[in-house]
Amino acid sequence: MKNYVQPGNTITLTAPYAVASGDGLLVGSIFGIAAGAAAIAEPVETALVGVFDITKVGSQAWTVGARVYWDDTNKRCTTVATDNTLIGLAVEAVASGAGDTIGRVRLNASF
């Protein structure tokens, strides 16, 4: 195919804020996980698909299959849809303790 560019599992985005490797980032409607560190406005290779452990709201229980949203203001995941961007689904249950701040998410790159 003459028009084929790349597989699409990762793309290079311009970091909208400083990110470390493994951080989530939202550019327009594109959400992904930074493959490396980047300062604001620098290019960063970004994973769009896969299963990742991502920072989440503490004191919020997750069930397997729950919709997961990105809270770009606080740079973390949540199950609250209001004012947040749908990014994928929880693939492991997480307890609701204040210290339960990591959730396992399967990213949905189809948006």
Side-chain angles (χ1 to χ4, degrees):
M1 298 174 285
K2 292 190 237 179
N3 60 342
Y4 180 81
V5 177
Q6 66 183 50
N9 295 338
T10 64
I11 59 173
T12 302
L13 295 173
T14 300
Y17 34 79
V19 293
S21 179
D23 284 352
L25 66 145
L26 184 66
V27 178
S29 295
I30 303 172
F31 178 82
I33 303 296
I40 189 170
E42 286 188 345
V44 60
E45 193 67 15
T46 307
L48 304 178
V49 296
V51 178
F52 296 89
D53 288 339
I54 309 175
T55 301
K56 67 173 269 304
V57 175
S59 303
Q60 183 181 77
W62 287 10
T63 58
V64 174
R67 290 179 183 216
V68 176
Y69 301 84
W70 181 249
D71 173 354
D72 201 46
T73 300
N74 296 299
K75 311 297 185 257
R76 62 186 180 186
C77 293
T78 180
T79 55
V80 175
T82 305
D83 297 325
N84 297 313
T85 303
L86 180 63
I87 63 166
L89 301 170
V91 295
E92 282 188 355
V94 182
S96 62
D100 295 315
T101 59
I102 300 294
R104 187 159 290 169
V105 180
R106 180 188 56 83
L107 297 184
N108 183 356
S110 66
F111 309 119

